[in-house]
Amino acid sequence: MARVIKIGAAQSGPVQKAEDRDSVVGRLLELMKQARSDGCDMVVFTELALTTFFPRYYAEDRALMDIWFETAMPNPATQPLFDYARDNAIGFSLGYAELTPGGDHFNTQVLVDKKGAIVGTYRKVHLPGHHDHQPWREFQHLERYYFDPGDGFGVFAGFGGVLGMAICNDRRWSETYRVLGLQGCELALTGYNTPVHYAPDPTQDRLQGFRNHLVLQSGAYQNGMWVVGVAKAGEEEGCTLLGESAIVAPSGEIAALCTTDGDELAVAEVDLDMCANYKETLFDFDRYRRPE
C-alpha cells in the first residue's frame, strides 16, 4: 500500500512586535482550516511562528526578552491549534521560542500527530548570528545571545513514515541532512526566518532565494528524503524576510512553492515510498557511505 501523505507548507506573512499571540494563532488556525479543506494530513508552520523575529533586538538584560518565550506547549494561546488537530485529524509542526523550567532558552520545533499529541521535539543546533550587541548593523541577529544550542538531530515515527526536524540555519549544513539520513529520515520539516539583507556581506543579498532552494534541494536529493522548508516572509519591523517556502521531492525537484510574501499555503502529495528510489540505489548509505 502506497504511503502518501498530503502536506501543507503554511508560510506566514510578517508578525509585527505589537501583534499578540492570540492574533497570530488565529492566522495559523486559518491556514490549518484551509489545509483541512484541501485534504491535508499535516501542516508545517515556520520557525518562531508565534512572534516577531525578536533576535533582531538587543536587551542588555536578557530576562527582558523572556516575554517572547513559551514556558509550556501547549499553552492557553496555542491550545486552539492542538484542539483543531485533535478534532479534525490533522497533524502539524510548529516552531517557537522555548523557556524550560530549568531556565534554558531554545529555538524549538514540535511535531504534533492527528490526535493533537506532541510526538517529537527538536531544538535548533546551528545557531547563527552573534553574541554581542553590534550597533553598526541595521538590525541585530542575536540568536547566539538569546538561545542555547540543542543537543542533536533525532527522528520520529509518524504519518506512516520516519520524520525529522530542523530549523532555519540548520538547513544550510550538510550534517543536518546526513545525520537525519543515517537514521532513515524520509521527511524533514524545517522553518526559517531569513533576512534578505546579510549585513556582514551585502553582496550575498541577491542570492538568498537561490541559496535557500539550493540547500533544500541538494539536501533532499543527496539523502533520498522529502524536505519541507517554510518561511516567515515579508516586511517585518523594517526587515525584509525571504519567502519562497517549498516542498522538495527526493529527486531534488520542487513539488510545491509559495509565490507571495504573506500567509499562504503550498500543498503537495508526498509519496514516502519514493525515498527508496534513492536510498536503495544511488544514495544507498549502507553500501556506499563511509561515516567512520
Side-chain angles (χ1 to χ4, degrees):
M1 184 176 179
R3 295 180 301 141
V4 176
I5 58 176
K6 201 168 188 179
I7 293 180
Q11 177 174 287
S12 290
V15 176
Q16 311 302 344
K17 277 180 84 172
E19 188 169 1
D20 62 24
R21 301 287 204 286
D22 290 340
S23 172
V24 177
V25 169
R27 290 167 55 186
L28 302 183
L29 200 56
E30 286 303 310
L31 287 165
M32 281 190 81
K33 291 176 180 178
Q34 182 182 339
R36 182 179 180 272
S37 70
D38 288 342
C40 290
D41 299 288
M42 176 198 299
V43 179
V44 183
F45 295 114
T46 190
E47 172 195 31
L48 300 177
L50 302 173
T51 65
T52 198
F53 188 73
F54 63 86
R56 73 171 61 95
Y57 306 112
Y58 174 73
E60 186 173 350
D61 180 0
R62 276 183 40 174
L64 294 175
M65 304 301 283
D66 286 353
I67 59 169
W68 304 110
F69 288 76
E70 314 303 317
T71 56
M73 188 58 63
N75 56 41
T78 60
Q79 188 64 51
L81 299 173
F82 289 80
D83 292 343
Y84 190 85
R86 180 198 63 227
D87 295 343
N88 295 276
I90 183 170
F92 67 92
S93 183
L94 176 72
Y96 62 96
E98 176 193 12
L99 175 56
T100 71
D104 294 318
H105 296 72
F106 295 111
N107 190 335
T108 298
Q109 186 170 327
V110 290
L111 177 64
V112 179
D113 67 14
K114 290 185 174 185
K115 297 179 181 179
I118 294 175
V119 294
T121 300
Y122 167 72
R123 290 159 173 161
K124 187 173 181 178
V125 168
H126 298 102
L127 297 176
H130 47 102
H131 287 98
D132 56 327
H133 186 216
Q134 297 183 3
W136 63 268
R137 293 174 178 260
E138 294 177 32
F139 51 85
Q140 302 297 298
H141 200 138
L142 288 162
E143 288 191 61
R144 301 181 70 82
Y145 181 57
Y146 293 124
F147 294 117
D148 302 304
D151 59 4
F153 297 94
V155 296
F156 310 94
F159 301 89
V162 181
L163 281 65
M165 291 181 281
I167 299 174
C168 197
N169 191 39
D170 289 326
R171 78 193 192 281
R172 302 188 188 277
W173 299 89
S174 59
E175 296 94 321
T176 298
Y177 306 97
R178 298 297 172 88
V179 172
L180 288 173
L182 284 167
Q183 298 174 81
C185 182
E186 297 172 304
L187 173 61
L189 312 174
T190 180
Y192 58 93
N193 284 242
T194 297
V196 171
H197 176 56
Y198 181 57
D201 180 12
T203 66
Q204 299 186 35
D205 293 0
R206 67 181 183 84
L207 298 169
Q208 291 286 25
F210 164 71
R211 287 174 173 169
N212 174 52
H213 288 160
L214 176 70
V215 293
L216 296 176
Q217 292 176 263
S218 60
Y221 169 60
Q222 291 176 336
N223 297 277
M225 65 176 70
W226 288 85
V227 175
V228 182
V230 180
K232 172 128 60 60
E235 196 74 15
E236 185 178 274
E237 299 293 333
C239 176
T240 303
L241 296 173
L242 181 72
E244 303 183 16
S245 304
I247 299 174
V248 183
S251 62
E253 297 170 291
I254 293 177
L257 178 68
C258 287
T259 58
T260 73
D261 288 329
D263 293 3
E264 182 182 354
L265 192 73
V267 177
E269 289 190 345
V270 168
D271 182 358
L272 297 178
D273 289 333
M274 184 179 177
C275 298
N277 295 357
Y278 297 86
K279 290 182 183 293
E280 296 177 5
T281 58
L282 190 61
F283 295 111
D284 185 333
F285 282 6
D286 289 339
R287 180 178 300 177
Y288 299 125
R289 285 238 33 224
R290 298 295 299 276
E292 70 278 11

